[in-house]
């Protein structure tokens, strides 16, 4: 690429970027209003379908029931003053409230995790935030548990509760049992109702909806990790879109459905998988509403009147080890794979996080170290493991740097554009003679990239960082503002994150050092192009600022110290490398290779073959011209 072409591309890029920015600025307010209206419309539409329409149907049924005292479970539809307060189940990790109306959990509080307002516990949902309705189809009418008032059987305890709705000997029971952690087991059973159902296979319809609460300070960042997630019975885990309204009708049976935020989840698990054809939907909510998304799941599962139908609910943190241990606590004997709720990246980086980062992180955390110190130690450990590769990469560049005068002298006659292949061939020949591999440092550097990407997925999903402070950072799981303002600024938002600024500055420093290292080993036209291109490399830290300003301070801090140590290692290697001694070693290699010449191989051999092919094609063209 020559100078004019490069300049043209740069100018075109600047024009496009400038026009895009101007256009975005002109329509930004209109787009925001349109998006807001669209999101609200989607959410309202979902909620209307899932709750309002259902409430209307319930009201119609209640009106009929009020007139028709012979209606099935008429007595259970009447409110009771004697049973009005919710029943509470609790252990030292979880508290749930079960409402007499509907007989289902209407409040779930995870203990020991502060919420964004500083309260000591996190409330996943309460009141009208969530609804869970079970519907049974009988020969004469549908029985919807949301219509019924339940009474306790016996004396409830902190761990066990049995509720019943009674209609002249026809009984519908809810049996609850809370274990030692975050798993709530419950079942639905009938008594004296077998003759009400048609013979053959029966199904239970389940409608579950939740206005997903914002639990963290950073709405935008948390929203990226809030998804309606589900697991196929004979497949893997999937989720609806985390960035826009989305809906799906499943083609496979489901092991579970989860309403997930960044650090907490409510998961509904049936003993017999939900049938295929489940309808799942998610709609975003607006910033400032106190909610992230609205979720709804319409499900079906097999029901036998003579047998209890069993479920489990996980109501707790997205902690990988806790979720992994749920399989042993569950009564259903299946591999639930709930740990997939902690997204660790695609296959390669997931493998790194699953079998390396998690163990190192948990091991360091078990020592009682602060999370900031843990991040620093993980960085030092990774730098120590990759140091041999980094040093190899640097020494490869250093060898090319000390050979630069010899290469410039040997290739100075190839100064025409059409001689560039010959110039590269001559350059590779010299590298081969001196025992230098120009690609020797490329692969080791590429190996480090999956580690960077692995930490990109790991840190935002590490609940151990939530609420942990370090230095000036009050919470490593969210951004650390040095300035905040009311009205968001396009491209920046409503704050400036200090760790993001430090990360971008360290990235700028590291980019400068790496570009200088590359420039020192380049010759001729390559060096000139490098000078023109280097300013484009400086734009990357600026781009990172707009991307990472909303990200967690823990992630930005990790990248900052990682780049800082990388720059320190590079500076140390540069200061401790004696160019004269290195050149002497290369001269010794050259003399040895002259005595025992080696056959050209690798890149040099391929360039030589390409050169011969080009020369042959050139000769053929000249022959054709002479004819």
């Amino acid at each position: 690429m020559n100078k004019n072409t490069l300049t043209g591309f740069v100018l075109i890029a600047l024009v496009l970027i400038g026009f895009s920015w101007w256009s975005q600025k002109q329509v930004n307010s209109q787009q925001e209003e349109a998006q807001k209206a669209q999101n609200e419309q989607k959410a309202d539409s979902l909620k209307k379908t899932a709750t309002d329409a259902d409430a209307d149907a319930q009201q119609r049924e209640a009106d009929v029931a009020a007139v028709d005292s012979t209606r099935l479970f008429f007595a259970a539809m009447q409110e009771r003053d004697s049973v009005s307060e919710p029943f509470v189940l609790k252990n030292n990790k979880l508290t749930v409230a079960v409402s007499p109306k509907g007989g289902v959990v209407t409040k779930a509080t995870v203990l020991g995790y502060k919420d964004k307002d500083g309260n000591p516990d996190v409330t996943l949902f309460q009141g009208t935030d969530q609804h869970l309705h079970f519907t049974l189809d009988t020969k004469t009418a549908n029985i919807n548990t949301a219509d019924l008032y339940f009474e306790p059987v016996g004396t409830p305890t902190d761990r066990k509760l049995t509720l019943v709705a009674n209609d002249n000997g026809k009984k519908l029971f809810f049996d609850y049992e809370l274990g030692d952690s975050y798993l709530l087991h419950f079942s639905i059973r009938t008594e004296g109702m077998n003759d009400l159902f048609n013979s053959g296979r029966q199904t239970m319809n389940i409608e579950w909806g939740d206005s997903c609460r914002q639990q963290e300070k950073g709405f935008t960042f948390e929203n990226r990790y809030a998804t309606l997630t589900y697991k196929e019975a004979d497949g893997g885990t999937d989720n609806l879109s985390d960035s826009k309204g989305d809906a799906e009708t499943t083609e496979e049976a489901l092991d579970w459905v989860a309403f997930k935020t960044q650090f907490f989840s409510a998961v509904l698990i049936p003993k017999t998988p939900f049938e295929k054809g489940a309808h799942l939907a998610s709609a975003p909510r607006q910033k400032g509403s106190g909610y992230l998304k609205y979720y709804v799941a319409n499900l079906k599962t097999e029901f036998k009147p003579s047998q209890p139908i069993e479920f489990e609910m996980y109501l707790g943190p997205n902690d990988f080890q806790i979720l992994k241990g749920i399989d042993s606590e569950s009564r259903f004997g299946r591999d639930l794979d709930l740990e997939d709720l902690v997204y660790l990246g695609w296959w390669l980086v997931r493998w790194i996080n699953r079998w390396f980062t998690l163990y190192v992180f948990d091991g360091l955390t078990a020592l009682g170290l602060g999370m900031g110190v843990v991040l620093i130690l993980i960085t030092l450990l990774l730098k120590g493991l990759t140091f041999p590769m980094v040093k190899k990469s640097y020494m490869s560049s250093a060898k090319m740097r000390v050979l630069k005068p010899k290469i410039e002298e040997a290739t100075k006659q190839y100064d025409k554009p059409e001689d560039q292949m010959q110039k590269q061939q001559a350059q590779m020949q010299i590298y081969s003679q001196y025992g230098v591999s120009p690609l020797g440092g490329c692969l080791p550097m590429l190996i480090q990239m999956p580690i960077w990407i692995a930490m990109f997925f790991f840190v935002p999903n590490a609940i151990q960082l939530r609420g942990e402070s370090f230095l000036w950072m009050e919470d490593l799981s969210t951004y650390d503002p040095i300035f905040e303002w009311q009205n968001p600024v396009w491209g920046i938002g409503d704050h400036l994150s200090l760790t993001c600024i430090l990360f971008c500055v360290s990235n700028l420093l590291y980019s400068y050092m790496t570009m200088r290292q590359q420039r020192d080993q380049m010759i001729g036209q390559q060096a000139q192009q490098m000078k023109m291109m280097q300013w484009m490399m400086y734009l990357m830290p600026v781009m990172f600022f707009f991307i990472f300003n909303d990200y967690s301070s823990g992630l930005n801090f990790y990248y900052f110290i990682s780049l800082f140590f990388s720059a320190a290692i590079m500076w140390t290697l540069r200061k401790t490398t004696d160019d004269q001694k290195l050149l002497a070693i290369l001269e010794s290699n050259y003399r040895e290779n002259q005595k025992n010449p080696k056959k050209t191989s690798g890149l040099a051999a391929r360039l030589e073959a390409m050169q011969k092919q080009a020369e042959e094609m050139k000769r053929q063209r000249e022959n054709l011209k002479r004819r």
Side-chain angles (χ1 to χ4, degrees):
M1 183 183 295
N2 59 36
K3 182 176 180 180
N4 291 335
T5 303
L6 180 63
T7 302
F9 278 129
V10 171
L11 291 175
I12 291 172
L14 289 174
V15 170
L16 290 174
I17 293 171
F19 179 75
S20 176
W21 176 84
W22 181 83
S23 299
Q24 181 65 31
K25 186 176 180 181
Q26 294 297 314
V27 301
N28 187 56
S29 59
Q30 292 92 334
Q31 287 180 337
E32 287 181 353
E33 291 299 325
Q35 185 64 43
K36 181 177 179 180
Q38 184 181 17
N39 290 343
E40 291 291 346
Q41 184 178 5
K42 288 179 179 178
D44 291 342
S45 177
L46 278 173
K47 204 159 188 176
K48 178 65 176 177
T49 301
T51 56
D52 292 349
D54 185 74
D56 292 341
Q58 292 175 32
Q59 184 61 48
R60 288 194 298 271
E61 291 182 3
D63 292 342
V64 173
V67 176
D68 185 5
S69 61
T70 63
R71 184 177 176 84
L72 186 63
F73 280 98
F74 170 80
M77 293 181 185
Q78 311 309 309
E79 186 173 0
R80 291 162 172 76
D81 294 334
S82 59
V83 183
S84 58
E85 295 298 320
F87 305 95
V88 177
L89 299 172
K90 61 183 178 179
N91 56 28
N92 60 358
K93 296 181 179 179
L94 177 68
T95 298
V96 296
V98 180
S99 173
K101 176 67 184 297
V104 294
V105 176
T106 54
K107 182 177 181 180
T109 303
V110 182
L111 308 180
Y113 292 88
K114 289 184 179 181
D115 67 10
K116 63 183 178 64
D117 299 320
N119 298 313
D121 305 311
V122 167
T123 298
L124 299 186
F125 55 80
Q126 68 176 350
T128 58
D129 286 350
Q130 189 233 206
H131 69 270
L132 180 58
H133 303 163
F134 299 91
T135 304
L136 296 171
D137 297 334
T138 71
K139 295 177 182 178
T140 58
N142 294 337
I143 303 174
N144 191 326
T145 58
D147 299 336
L148 308 180
Y149 287 88
F150 290 78
E151 296 179 314
V153 177
T155 303
T157 68
D158 287 346
R159 299 296 187 92
K160 290 186 178 182
L161 171 68
T162 296
L163 299 176
V164 63
N166 194 350
D167 182 19
N168 297 321
K170 299 178 178 62
K171 299 178 180 180
L172 182 63
F173 293 89
F174 274 101
D175 296 304
Y176 287 94
E177 185 173 349
L178 180 62
D180 294 327
S181 65
Y182 304 96
L183 195 65
L184 175 67
H185 184 92
F186 70 97
S187 62
I188 303 173
R189 57 188 172 92
T190 63
E191 185 178 302
M193 296 176 58
N194 288 4
D195 59 337
L196 297 180
F197 298 95
N198 294 312
S199 60
R201 188 173 182 276
Q202 300 291 327
T203 59
M204 173 182 283
N205 296 311
I206 305 164
E207 183 185 283
W208 186 28
D210 183 23
S211 290
C212 177
R213 288 187 168 196
Q214 180 185 346
Q215 303 290 0
E216 314 304 325
K217 180 174 69 173
F219 173 88
T220 304
F221 188 64
E222 183 185 7
N223 213 21
R224 291 189 180 100
Y225 300 92
T227 60
L228 192 158
T229 307
Y230 57 93
K231 181 184 181 297
E232 296 178 348
D234 296 321
T237 304
D238 204 350
N239 59 268
L240 301 185
S241 173
D242 59 4
S243 60
K244 60 182 180 180
D246 194 11
E248 183 173 343
T249 300
T250 63
E251 298 179 357
E252 303 291 339
L254 302 180
D255 270 342
W256 47 260
V257 175
F259 294 165
K260 175 181 177 294
T261 64
Q262 183 179 4
F263 292 124
F264 300 93
S265 289
V267 188
L268 185 60
I269 309 164
K271 183 174 183 179
T272 302
F274 295 123
E275 297 180 358
K276 63 180 180 180
H279 181 71
L280 311 173
S282 171
R285 305 297 287 179
Q286 287 300 313
K287 184 175 182 179
S289 66
Y291 297 94
L292 300 170
K293 293 180 172 71
Y294 179 72
Y295 298 135
V296 64
N298 291 307
L299 311 160
K300 289 185 178 182
T301 188
E302 185 178 7
F303 169 69
K304 297 179 181 179
S306 59
Q307 298 178 6
I309 181 169
E310 298 182 67
F311 299 91
E312 289 173 335
M313 286 191 81
Y314 176 83
L315 303 163
N318 297 332
D319 184 300
F320 187 91
Q321 300 299 348
I322 292 175
L323 291 166
K324 191 172 184 296
I326 292 299
D327 283 356
S328 61
E329 297 181 33
S330 173
R331 301 180 183 180
F332 300 158
R334 299 202 308 269
D335 292 330
L336 297 174
D337 295 327
L338 285 179
E339 64 269 21
D340 287 349
L341 289 170
V342 182
Y343 185 62
L344 298 178
W346 31 269
W347 69 272
L348 177 59
V349 296
R350 178 176 176 81
W351 187 91
I352 294 172
N353 282 328
R354 175 67 183 86
W355 301 108
F356 174 78
T357 313
L358 270 171
Y359 283 104
V360 173
F361 190 84
D362 289 344
L364 294 174
T365 303
L367 298 176
L369 302 174
M371 291 297 106
V373 176
V374 168
L375 289 176
I376 293 175
L377 292 178
I378 288 178
T379 306
L380 290 174
L381 177 61
L382 292 174
K383 291 303 175 184
L385 292 175
T386 59
F387 178 75
M389 294 179 287
V390 173
K391 184 176 181 180
K392 181 179 179 181
S393 174
Y394 175 81
M395 293 308 297
S396 178
S397 299
K399 290 174 183 179
M400 289 187 285
R401 183 182 70 244
V402 298
L403 287 178
K404 180 178 178 180
K406 295 182 179 293
I407 293 174
E408 287 179 333
E409 179 64 25
T411 60
K412 63 183 180 180
Q413 68 271 28
Y414 304 118
D415 57 349
K416 297 179 181 179
E418 59 269 22
D419 296 335
Q420 290 306 303
M421 185 170 290
Q422 289 177 285
K423 186 174 185 177
Q424 290 179 2
Q425 183 179 351
Q427 186 174 341
M428 295 304 300
Q429 183 67 28
I430 295 174
Y431 286 150
S432 178
Q433 291 172 347
Y434 282 87
V436 176
S437 173
L439 299 180
C442 295
L443 183 59
M445 292 300 291
L446 290 176
I447 291 176
Q448 295 184 84
M449 290 305 298
I451 296 175
W452 263 60
I453 299 173
M455 294 302 289
F456 176 83
F457 289 109
F458 178 80
V459 173
N461 288 290
I463 193 172
Q464 293 84 350
L465 297 177
R466 185 180 184 272
E468 291 292 323
S469 62
F470 183 67
L471 299 178
W472 68 90
M473 295 166 280
E474 295 181 356
D475 186 346
L476 289 169
S477 69
T478 188
Y479 60 84
D480 56 321
I482 51 173
F483 295 109
E484 291 184 279
W485 50 88
Q486 187 66 31
N487 297 318
V489 176
W490 180 83
I492 298 177
D494 57 5
H495 65 273
L496 286 178
S497 172
L498 178 56
T499 50
C500 179
I501 295 173
L502 292 175
F503 161 44
C504 294
V505 171
S506 62
N507 196 359
L508 190 65
L509 173 63
Y510 185 71
S511 298
Y512 169 77
M513 296 179 70
T514 54
M515 285 189 294
R516 187 180 67 175
Q517 177 178 308
Q518 293 173 6
R519 188 173 61 246
D520 288 345
Q521 69 192 42
M522 292 180 177
I523 62 172
Q525 189 176 4
Q526 289 180 336
Q528 294 300 318
Q529 289 179 349
M530 186 64 185
K531 290 180 180 179
M532 291 184 292
M533 293 289 289
Q534 66 182 4
W535 69 270
M536 299 181 67
M537 296 296 295
Y538 292 137
L539 289 178
M540 187 172 294
V542 178
M543 294 171 57
F544 280 158
F545 170 77
F546 291 105
I547 295 172
F548 284 85
N549 191 46
D550 267 329
Y551 273 64
S552 68
S553 57
L555 181 63
N556 281 321
F557 180 69
Y558 166 77
Y559 282 151
F560 161 62
I561 56 178
S562 178
L563 284 168
F564 176 82
F565 284 129
S566 294
I569 290 171
M570 186 177 294
W571 181 85
T572 302
L573 288 172
R574 181 70 180 89
K575 290 298 182 180
T576 57
T577 301
D578 190 323
D579 287 0
Q580 294 300 321
K581 289 183 179 180
L582 184 58
L583 182 58
I585 294 173
L586 295 177
E587 292 287 0
S588 176
N589 292 341
Y590 177 80
R591 290 190 294 270
E592 184 65 27
N593 289 333
Q594 289 295 101
K595 294 177 183 179
N596 302 292
K598 297 179 181 179
K599 184 178 180 181
T600 304
S601 61
L603 181 59
R606 290 193 291 272
L607 286 172
E608 183 177 350
M610 292 172 61
Q611 175 64 21
K612 290 180 179 179
Q613 185 178 8
E615 290 177 352
E616 177 62 22
M617 293 176 63
K618 182 179 179 181
R619 186 183 62 79
Q620 291 177 1
R621 287 196 300 268
E622 290 176 351
N623 289 338
L624 288 174
K625 288 180 181 179
R626 284 196 292 268
R627 292 178 184 177

